Amino acid sequence: MELLANNLWRLPIPLAGSPLKTLNSYLIFGQNRSLLIDTGFRQAPCREAMERQLDALGVDRNRLDIFLTHLHSDHTGLAPELLPESGQIYISRIDGPGVDEALDDAFWRRFYKSYVREGFTQEEMDGLWNTNPAQNAVPKGWRYTPLEDGDMLSYGGHKLQCILTPGHTPGHMCLYEPEAGWLFSGDHILFHITSNICRWERMPDALGSYLESLERVRSLPIKLLMPAHREERGDPVQRVEELKEHHAHRLAAALSIVEQKPGLTAYEIASFMRWSIRCRDWASFPLTQKFFAVGEALSHLDHLEAEGSIFHRESGGINRYFPKSAI
């Protein structure tokens, strides 16, 4: 546990088997009610770490509410079981239904089928069925109170503004405390690592949405930025510029691959892109990391297609990507 400010704690929650390593859950103590921000997977290591730290801090579960920055299971998984029925679980109106969707096997069958169209084999997708924590560590007994952009929450004498920052997910939401200059950034702004920006059915250009959302928080007076992963912190304005530059390089790399090797699938394009992972080659990537890499490649291909640099054609049930010059 780490005391960041008066009545503000960081609770590290281990994410077993994930390259993210830990989730930073944050706790704002209040005299009437306290607020917990993000929870960890619905898995034993997360549960044990969270309960141990809440007990050590003397948190009364009957006076605790939870704010979830977005729908991913490493943020939402434990939420329902941490609270009695009287507690509120807050999440954006856009992302709330996505948690319900993640409990539906039919959704995952459709979703994995869409990745087969992008170059995965059906055998690879079948292999994800029992190993993908996004599918298997989601919350059960789910209930939530939806939030809109601009809504205000009040805990521990702090007024917290909900800021919708779509990109990482369609309804990702940050919490901003203007008086103290706090920004709980979830996965919107991370240091040392970059947030995975993948394709979403409800966002035709997820990367474009993410870049716009970066600009939205760039001008905020921030004294303490609290990311959801890793302990690194830094200058948020500088980090926004670094993230924009990172995606500009990745867009250029994806475009170059499409121009030099027209007709590849997204899976094949991802195999030629550079990724920050300790593997000899694409073939040795763990399946879940291939899944995330192809998802991110797709968001960059979608952005290039939105701006008219490339296009795709479907052939035999498989999508292939071509430069604009091939029209």
Side-chain angles (χ1 to χ4, degrees):
M1 297 180 294
E2 180 185 9
L3 182 64
L4 301 176
N6 187 36
N7 290 329
L8 173 63
W9 291 84
R10 181 181 73 88
L11 311 182
I13 308 298
L15 301 177
S18 170
L20 292 170
K21 298 182 180 179
T22 59
L23 171 84
N24 294 324
S25 181
Y26 297 96
L27 179 72
I28 301 174
F29 263 115
Q31 287 187 346
N32 296 318
R33 299 193 70 82
S34 299
L35 184 68
L36 183 69
I37 300 170
D38 290 336
T39 69
F41 289 129
R42 183 175 52 82
Q43 294 176 345
C46 296
R47 184 179 299 107
E48 291 165 4
M50 176 64 78
E51 292 184 345
R52 182 180 66 254
Q53 292 175 93
L54 291 178
D55 289 346
L57 291 170
V59 175
D60 183 352
R61 304 281 188 88
N62 292 304
R63 297 195 296 169
L64 179 67
D65 296 320
I66 294 176
F67 173 85
L68 304 172
T69 56
H70 62 289
L71 61 81
H72 284 148
S73 59
D74 58 323
H75 295 254
T76 63
L78 285 179
E81 62 186 84
L82 290 175
L83 297 183
E85 290 187 6
S86 60
Q88 298 293 316
I89 299 174
Y90 297 105
I91 192 170
S92 76
R93 176 188 57 80
I94 298 171
D95 265 13
V99 180
D100 294 321
E101 200 171 48
L103 294 166
D104 181 6
D105 285 351
F107 162 78
W108 287 103
R109 282 191 288 271
R110 292 193 306 271
F111 185 69
Y112 289 152
K113 186 176 180 179
S114 75
Y115 270 60
V116 172
R117 290 195 295 270
E118 301 299 339
F120 276 95
T121 66
Q122 185 61 55
E123 289 73 20
E124 286 174 314
M125 290 295 93
D126 291 343
L128 273 178
W129 191 265
N130 293 315
T131 60
N132 185 357
Q135 179 182 0
N136 300 311
V138 296
K140 290 188 175 181
W142 173 245
R143 57 185 172 78
Y144 65 94
T145 299
L147 293 171
E148 302 285 352
D149 185 40
D151 281 351
M152 302 294 295
L153 301 176
S154 182
Y155 289 88
H158 296 279
K159 294 188 180 302
L160 303 155
Q161 180 185 357
C162 300
I163 301 177
L164 192 63
T165 50
H168 180 60
T169 66
H172 188 287
M173 187 171 271
C174 297
L175 273 186
Y176 178 57
E177 207 283 30
E179 185 174 336
W182 296 347
L183 183 70
F184 299 91
S185 66
D187 283 1
H188 185 50
I189 299 178
L190 302 174
F191 292 91
H192 183 64
I193 57 175
T194 59
S195 181
N196 177 255
I197 310 300
C198 66
R199 172 184 283 178
W200 291 88
E201 289 183 0
R202 296 189 294 277
M203 273 193 299
D205 180 10
L207 179 59
S209 296
Y210 177 70
L211 295 173
E212 291 175 4
S213 296
L214 284 178
E215 287 301 316
R216 188 170 189 204
V217 301
R218 184 182 184 278
S219 59
L220 294 175
I222 300 170
K223 297 177 183 177
L224 178 61
L225 190 150
M226 288 166 276
H229 301 287
R230 306 294 176 90
E231 294 184 44
E232 293 84 1
R233 303 189 187 101
D235 181 347
V237 174
Q238 179 183 343
R239 186 56 179 159
V240 165
E241 293 305 312
E242 291 171 351
L243 290 169
K244 288 166 59 179
E245 184 178 0
H246 164 78
H247 288 290
H249 285 308
R250 184 150 283 179
L251 284 166
L255 178 58
S256 177
I257 294 165
V258 172
E259 289 176 335
Q260 293 177 31
K261 302 176 185 291
L264 295 181
T265 65
Y267 182 96
E268 291 166 332
I269 292 166
S271 75
F272 289 106
M273 296 172 71
R274 297 184 63 182
W275 305 101
S276 297
I277 184 171
R278 294 179 181 177
C279 289
R280 298 187 309 276
D281 51 29
W282 179 249
S284 62
F285 268 48
L287 183 56
T288 53
Q289 297 310 307
K290 279 188 178 180
F291 175 67
F292 293 134
V294 173
E296 179 138 343
L298 283 167
S299 75
H300 288 73
L301 294 170
D302 287 344
H303 190 68
L304 290 170
E305 192 157 4
E307 66 180 22
S309 299
I310 69 171
F311 66 97
H312 76 275
R313 288 180 183 149
E314 184 270 333
S315 177
I318 303 297
N319 292 327
R320 299 188 179 277
Y321 294 82
F322 298 87
K324 181 180 179 181
S325 59
I327 295 177

